[in-house]
Amino acid sequence: MDYLIEAKKFVERAHEAAHPEVIKQHLKMAEWHLAQAIEEQNEPPPSEVSRKSN
C-alpha cells in the first residue's frame, strides 16, 4: 500500500469536510498513514535482513 497517497486522500477529505469531528477523524487517519510510511521507510530491505541473520 502506498501510505503517502492514502494520507494525501485523507488530508483532501479533511479539507472538504464541514464538521469539525469529521475533519479531526480524517486528519488522524492521515497522520496514521504518514507514520506507517515513515516506519516502512526505516525498515531494512529483506535482502539486508537475511544477510545480517546469517
Side-chain angles (χ1 to χ4, degrees):
M1 174 186 286
D2 191 341
Y3 293 110
L4 294 177
I5 291 173
E6 292 300 313
K8 182 179 177 184
K9 289 178 187 177
F10 279 106
V11 170
E12 289 171 351
R13 291 177 193 151
H15 182 70
E16 295 168 355
H19 193 276
E21 193 60 35
V22 175
I23 294 168
K24 185 177 176 181
Q25 290 174 349
H26 285 309
L27 291 177
K28 280 185 177 182
M29 289 302 296
E31 183 179 13
W32 183 88
H33 279 85
L34 289 172
Q36 294 300 313
I38 291 168
E39 188 176 307
E40 189 176 74
Q41 194 70 20
N42 290 335
E43 292 177 1
S47 60
E48 283 187 31
V49 172
S50 62
R51 273 190 259 147
K52 288 180 182 178
S53 62
N54 288 339

